[in-house]
Amino acid sequence: VGLLFTYETNRFIFSIMEIFISIDGVLRNTIQKFDYHYNDAYLDSELEEGNTFEYNKIGEVQNDNLLNYYKFQSIEEFEYFAYIEYPIEIFGHAGLSYSTTFSDLHKLIYDNPQHNYTLVGLDEKGKAKPGSLFFLSKNGYLGNNIKFITSDEIENTWNLCDVWISDNKKILDTRTENKIGIKFSTAYNQYFTNSLEIGKLTEIENICPNFTKTEKDTTLTLNQSQTDVEPEIQ
Protein backbone atom coordinates (compact mmCIF):
# COMPACT_ATOMS: atom_id res chain seq x y z
CA VAL A 1 0.00 0.00 0.00
CA GLY A 2 1.58 3.25 -1.07
CA LEU A 3 -0.79 6.20 -1.00
CA LEU A 4 1.98 8.69 -0.25
CA PHE A 5 4.74 7.09 -2.35
CA THR A 6 5.37 8.79 -5.70
CA TYR A 7 8.08 8.67 -8.32
CA GLU A 8 8.77 10.56 -11.53
CA THR A 9 9.57 9.05 -14.90
CA ASN A 10 9.84 11.13 -18.07
CA ARG A 11 6.82 13.47 -18.13
CA PHE A 12 4.63 11.68 -15.63
CA ILE A 13 4.34 11.70 -11.87
CA PHE A 14 2.79 8.50 -10.59
CA SER A 15 1.15 7.91 -7.24
CA ILE A 16 1.00 4.16 -6.61
CA MET A 17 -2.25 3.18 -4.91
CA GLU A 18 -4.26 0.10 -4.11
CA ILE A 19 -7.77 0.79 -5.41
CA PHE A 20 -10.66 -1.37 -4.20
CA ILE A 21 -13.98 -1.22 -6.07
CA SER A 22 -17.10 -2.88 -4.68
CA ILE A 23 -19.00 -5.06 -7.13
CA ASP A 24 -22.47 -4.38 -5.74
CA GLY A 25 -23.80 -0.93 -6.46
CA VAL A 26 -20.71 0.33 -8.29
CA LEU A 27 -20.76 -2.25 -11.08
CA ARG A 28 -23.94 -4.25 -10.55
CA ASN A 29 -27.57 -3.37 -9.80
CA THR A 30 -28.13 -6.41 -7.60
CA ILE A 31 -31.18 -5.09 -5.75
CA GLN A 32 -33.17 -4.60 -8.94
CA LYS A 33 -32.74 -8.25 -9.87
CA PHE A 34 -33.42 -9.37 -6.28
CA ASP A 35 -36.67 -7.38 -6.37
CA TYR A 36 -37.74 -8.97 -9.64
CA HIS A 37 -37.29 -12.54 -8.41
CA TYR A 38 -38.84 -11.82 -5.00
CA ASN A 39 -41.96 -10.52 -6.77
CA ASP A 40 -42.00 -13.48 -9.11
CA ALA A 41 -41.50 -16.09 -6.38
CA TYR A 42 -43.67 -14.71 -3.58
CA LEU A 43 -46.01 -11.98 -4.77
CA ASP A 44 -46.99 -12.88 -8.34
CA SER A 45 -47.13 -16.66 -7.94
CA GLU A 46 -49.33 -19.01 -5.96
CA LEU A 47 -47.61 -20.25 -2.80
CA GLU A 48 -47.51 -23.86 -1.71
CA GLU A 49 -50.75 -25.13 -0.23
CA GLY A 50 -50.81 -24.53 3.51
CA ASN A 51 -48.37 -21.61 3.46
CA THR A 52 -50.21 -18.76 5.18
CA PHE A 53 -47.23 -16.43 5.68
CA GLU A 54 -47.83 -12.96 4.23
CA TYR A 55 -44.91 -12.04 1.99
CA ASN A 56 -44.63 -8.34 1.24
CA LYS A 57 -42.34 -5.38 0.54
CA ILE A 58 -42.18 -2.56 3.06
CA GLY A 59 -41.21 1.02 2.29
CA GLU A 60 -38.64 2.39 -0.15
CA VAL A 61 -35.87 -0.17 -0.58
CA GLN A 62 -32.38 0.87 0.55
CA ASN A 63 -29.18 -1.17 0.55
CA ASP A 64 -28.57 -1.22 4.30
CA ASN A 65 -30.32 -4.54 4.96
CA LEU A 66 -32.75 -6.13 2.52
CA LEU A 67 -34.54 -7.90 5.39
CA ASN A 68 -35.79 -4.45 6.44
CA TYR A 69 -37.83 -4.25 3.23
CA TYR A 70 -38.56 -7.79 2.02
CA LYS A 71 -40.52 -10.05 4.35
CA PHE A 72 -39.27 -13.62 4.83
CA GLN A 73 -40.25 -16.19 7.41
CA SER A 74 -36.65 -16.38 8.66
CA ILE A 75 -33.08 -15.38 7.87
CA GLU A 76 -32.55 -18.95 6.72
CA GLU A 77 -35.34 -18.60 4.13
CA PHE A 78 -33.84 -15.31 2.90
CA GLU A 79 -30.39 -16.88 2.54
CA TYR A 80 -31.78 -19.95 0.77
CA PHE A 81 -33.65 -17.70 -1.67
CA ALA A 82 -30.66 -15.45 -2.43
CA TYR A 83 -27.71 -17.83 -2.23
CA ILE A 84 -29.10 -21.26 -3.13
CA GLU A 85 -32.32 -20.90 -5.12
CA TYR A 86 -31.67 -17.80 -7.26
CA PRO A 87 -27.95 -16.90 -7.06
CA ILE A 88 -27.21 -17.02 -10.78
CA GLU A 89 -30.36 -15.09 -11.59
CA ILE A 90 -29.69 -12.43 -8.94
CA PHE A 91 -25.89 -12.14 -8.93
CA GLY A 92 -25.03 -13.46 -12.39
CA HIS A 93 -27.72 -11.88 -14.53
CA ALA A 94 -28.14 -8.56 -12.72
CA GLY A 95 -28.02 -5.42 -14.83
CA LEU A 96 -25.24 -2.85 -14.75
CA SER A 97 -25.24 0.13 -12.43
CA TYR A 98 -25.23 2.36 -15.52
CA SER A 99 -24.87 1.75 -19.24
CA THR A 100 -21.11 2.32 -19.66
CA THR A 101 -19.98 0.72 -16.41
CA PHE A 102 -17.41 -1.69 -17.79
CA SER A 103 -16.05 0.50 -20.56
CA ASP A 104 -15.50 3.20 -17.91
CA LEU A 105 -13.89 0.69 -15.55
CA HIS A 106 -11.50 -0.58 -18.21
CA LYS A 107 -10.61 2.94 -19.30
CA LEU A 108 -9.83 3.81 -15.68
CA ILE A 109 -7.59 0.77 -15.32
CA TYR A 110 -5.72 1.12 -18.59
CA ASP A 111 -5.34 4.90 -18.47
CA ASN A 112 -3.79 4.59 -15.00
CA PRO A 113 -1.66 1.41 -14.95
CA GLN A 114 0.44 2.78 -12.07
CA HIS A 115 -2.30 1.69 -9.66
CA ASN A 116 -3.42 -1.79 -8.57
CA TYR A 117 -7.15 -2.50 -8.82
CA THR A 118 -9.19 -5.10 -6.93
CA LEU A 119 -12.92 -5.80 -7.24
CA VAL A 120 -14.55 -6.68 -3.92
CA GLY A 121 -17.62 -8.84 -3.32
CA LEU A 122 -19.25 -8.56 0.10
CA ASP A 123 -21.05 -11.36 1.99
CA GLU A 124 -21.53 -13.56 -1.07
CA LYS A 125 -22.59 -16.89 0.41
CA GLY A 126 -23.47 -20.19 -1.19
CA LYS A 127 -23.57 -19.95 -4.97
CA ALA A 128 -23.47 -16.14 -5.06
CA LYS A 129 -19.69 -16.13 -5.57
CA PRO A 130 -19.75 -18.14 -8.83
CA GLY A 131 -22.73 -15.98 -9.81
CA SER A 132 -20.56 -12.89 -9.45
CA LEU A 133 -17.73 -14.47 -11.41
CA PHE A 134 -20.22 -15.21 -14.19
CA PHE A 135 -21.41 -11.58 -14.08
CA LEU A 136 -17.85 -10.29 -14.47
CA SER A 137 -17.07 -12.76 -17.23
CA LYS A 138 -20.29 -11.99 -19.07
CA ASN A 139 -19.42 -8.30 -19.09
CA GLY A 140 -15.84 -8.92 -20.23
CA TYR A 141 -13.95 -7.86 -17.09
CA LEU A 142 -10.28 -7.49 -18.04
CA GLY A 143 -8.70 -6.80 -14.65
CA ASN A 144 -6.54 -9.17 -12.62
CA ASN A 145 -7.80 -9.08 -9.04
CA ILE A 146 -11.09 -10.15 -7.46
CA LYS A 147 -11.59 -10.49 -3.71
CA PHE A 148 -14.51 -11.78 -1.62
CA ILE A 149 -14.91 -10.77 2.03
CA THR A 150 -17.49 -10.89 4.82
CA SER A 151 -18.81 -7.92 6.77
CA ASP A 152 -16.64 -8.71 9.78
CA GLU A 153 -13.54 -8.41 7.55
CA ILE A 154 -14.26 -4.86 6.34
CA GLU A 155 -12.13 -3.05 8.90
CA ASN A 156 -9.08 -5.26 8.30
CA THR A 157 -9.58 -4.98 4.54
CA TRP A 158 -9.10 -1.21 4.78
CA ASN A 159 -5.50 -1.97 5.82
CA LEU A 160 -4.92 -3.45 2.37
CA CYS A 161 -6.03 -0.50 0.24
CA ASP A 162 -5.63 3.25 -0.17
CA VAL A 163 -8.92 4.01 -1.91
CA TRP A 164 -12.23 2.15 -1.70
CA ILE A 165 -15.11 3.01 -4.03
CA SER A 166 -18.34 1.59 -2.62
CA ASP A 167 -22.08 2.15 -2.30
CA ASN A 168 -22.06 0.59 1.18
CA LYS A 169 -22.38 2.79 4.29
CA LYS A 170 -20.69 0.29 6.62
CA ILE A 171 -17.64 0.12 4.35
CA LEU A 172 -17.33 3.88 4.11
CA ASP A 173 -18.00 4.45 7.83
CA THR A 174 -15.14 2.16 8.83
CA ARG A 175 -12.59 4.02 6.73
CA THR A 176 -9.37 4.34 8.68
CA GLU A 177 -6.95 7.26 8.89
CA ASN A 178 -5.11 8.29 5.70
CA LYS A 179 -7.50 6.27 3.52
CA ILE A 180 -9.88 7.58 0.86
CA GLY A 181 -13.49 6.38 0.86
CA ILE A 182 -15.58 7.32 -2.17
CA LYS A 183 -19.35 6.83 -2.15
CA PHE A 184 -20.85 5.57 -5.38
CA SER A 185 -24.31 7.12 -5.38
CA THR A 186 -27.25 4.93 -6.43
CA ALA A 187 -31.03 4.96 -6.10
CA TYR A 188 -30.66 2.71 -3.04
CA ASN A 189 -28.20 4.62 -0.83
CA GLN A 190 -29.53 8.15 -0.62
CA TYR A 191 -30.07 7.76 3.15
CA PHE A 192 -26.44 8.70 3.87
CA THR A 193 -23.84 11.12 2.55
CA ASN A 194 -20.08 11.02 2.22
CA SER A 195 -17.49 13.75 1.73
CA LEU A 196 -16.51 12.27 -1.64
CA GLU A 197 -19.26 11.04 -3.96
CA ILE A 198 -19.46 10.00 -7.61
CA GLY A 199 -22.21 8.71 -9.88
CA LYS A 200 -19.92 7.29 -12.58
CA LEU A 201 -16.41 5.88 -12.45
CA THR A 202 -15.14 8.55 -14.80
CA GLU A 203 -15.91 11.20 -12.15
CA ILE A 204 -13.12 9.96 -9.88
CA GLU A 205 -10.62 12.07 -11.83
CA ASN A 206 -12.47 15.20 -10.74
CA ILE A 207 -12.39 14.50 -6.99
CA CYS A 208 -9.02 12.73 -6.61
CA PRO A 209 -6.36 14.83 -8.37
CA ASN A 210 -3.56 12.40 -7.37
CA PHE A 211 -5.37 9.46 -8.91
CA THR A 212 -4.48 10.05 -12.54
CA LYS A 213 -1.37 10.97 -14.50
CA THR A 214 -0.52 14.64 -14.65
CA GLU A 215 -0.37 14.36 -18.42
CA LYS A 216 -2.42 12.06 -20.59
CA ASP A 217 -0.96 9.68 -23.10
CA THR A 218 -2.78 7.64 -25.73
CA THR A 219 -5.59 5.63 -24.14
CA LEU A 220 -7.30 2.46 -25.18
CA THR A 221 -11.02 1.81 -24.95
CA LEU A 222 -11.31 -1.93 -24.51
CA ASN A 223 -14.99 -2.55 -25.01
CA GLN A 224 -18.03 -0.75 -26.30
CA SER A 225 -20.74 0.70 -24.09
CA GLN A 226 -23.20 -1.90 -22.87
CA THR A 227 -26.69 -1.60 -24.33
CA ASP A 228 -28.49 -4.38 -22.45
CA VAL A 229 -28.86 -2.42 -19.23
CA GLU A 230 -32.02 -2.66 -17.20
CA PRO A 231 -33.46 0.70 -16.10
CA GLU A 232 -32.60 1.64 -12.54
CA ILE A 233 -35.47 1.67 -10.07
CA GLN A 234 -36.13 5.17 -8.78
Side-chain angles (χ1 to χ4, degrees):
V1 179
L3 180 58
L4 301 179
F5 174 64
T6 61
Y7 64 91
E8 185 171 358
T9 174
N10 297 327
R11 298 174 303 159
F12 301 121
I13 297 176
F14 297 114
S15 179
I16 302 173
M17 294 188 287
E18 294 289 337
I19 313 296
F20 282 13
I21 301 174
S22 294
I23 297 173
D24 278 335
V26 183
L27 306 181
R28 176 176 65 192
N29 193 338
T30 313
I31 294 178
Q32 184 184 55
K33 189 61 76 171
F34 183 98
D35 183 85
Y36 174 86
H37 287 289
Y38 181 89
N39 290 339
D40 183 62
Y42 297 116
L43 303 185
D44 299 335
S45 304
E46 291 187 8
L47 301 177
E48 294 181 4
E49 186 176 352
N51 189 338
T52 59
F53 183 79
E54 185 178 351
Y55 293 92
N56 197 11
K57 290 190 296 184
I58 304 170
E60 183 179 355
V61 177
Q62 306 288 354
N63 71 349
D64 53 345
N65 184 346
L66 292 183
L67 285 171
N68 292 338
Y69 310 99
Y70 297 91
K71 293 184 64 177
F72 287 89
Q73 298 185 58
S74 63
I75 294 178
E76 289 74 21
E77 184 183 44
F78 163 78
E79 292 184 343
Y80 182 82
F81 170 79
Y83 305 127
I84 303 298
E85 193 172 15
Y86 289 98
I88 296 298
E89 292 82 354
I90 293 172
F91 298 94
H93 291 288
L96 303 179
S97 291
Y98 63 98
S99 60
T100 57
T101 298
F102 275 85
S103 57
D104 288 355
L105 174 63
H106 292 146
K107 187 174 188 301
L108 192 68
I109 291 173
Y110 284 91
D111 278 3
N112 303 281
Q114 72 274 23
H115 302 316
N116 297 315
Y117 302 85
T118 300
L119 302 187
V120 182
L122 180 65
D123 291 331
E124 303 205 0
K125 303 177 182 179
K127 298 178 182 178
K129 188 182 297 183
S132 289
L133 296 176
F134 173 76
F135 168 81
L136 296 174
S137 175
K138 180 183 71 171
N139 287 289
Y141 175 56
L142 298 174
N144 296 323
N145 304 316
I146 305 168
K147 184 180 183 68
F148 294 95
I149 65 170
T150 60
S151 288
D152 58 8
E153 296 175 297
I154 291 174
E155 189 169 351
N156 288 334
T157 301
W158 269 111
N159 296 325
L160 305 177
C161 71
D162 300 302
V163 179
W164 198 335
I165 306 170
S166 179
D167 73 326
N168 187 288
K169 186 177 188 296
K170 184 174 182 180
I171 287 175
L172 296 172
D173 282 351
T174 53
R175 177 181 63 86
T176 53
E177 189 177 2
N178 297 325
K179 307 293 185 177
I180 298 174
I182 300 174
K183 175 188 173 182
F184 191 91
S185 183
T186 75
Y188 305 106
N189 66 358
Q190 298 304 303
Y191 60 95
F192 76 96
T193 59
N194 191 66
S195 59
L196 298 175
E197 297 192 11
I198 59 176
K200 293 184 176 181
L201 290 171
T202 50
E203 295 172 9
I204 192 173
E205 299 181 7
N206 300 326
I207 64 174
C208 291
N210 292 329
F211 186 86
T212 57
K213 299 175 183 178
T214 56
E215 294 186 37
K216 289 293 183 182
D217 57 354
T218 303
T219 60
L220 177 65
T221 301
L222 291 158
N223 65 333
Q224 298 298 317
S225 299
Q226 301 289 334
T227 57
D228 59 339
V229 182
E230 301 174 33
E232 191 175 66
I233 295 174
Q234 300 297 325

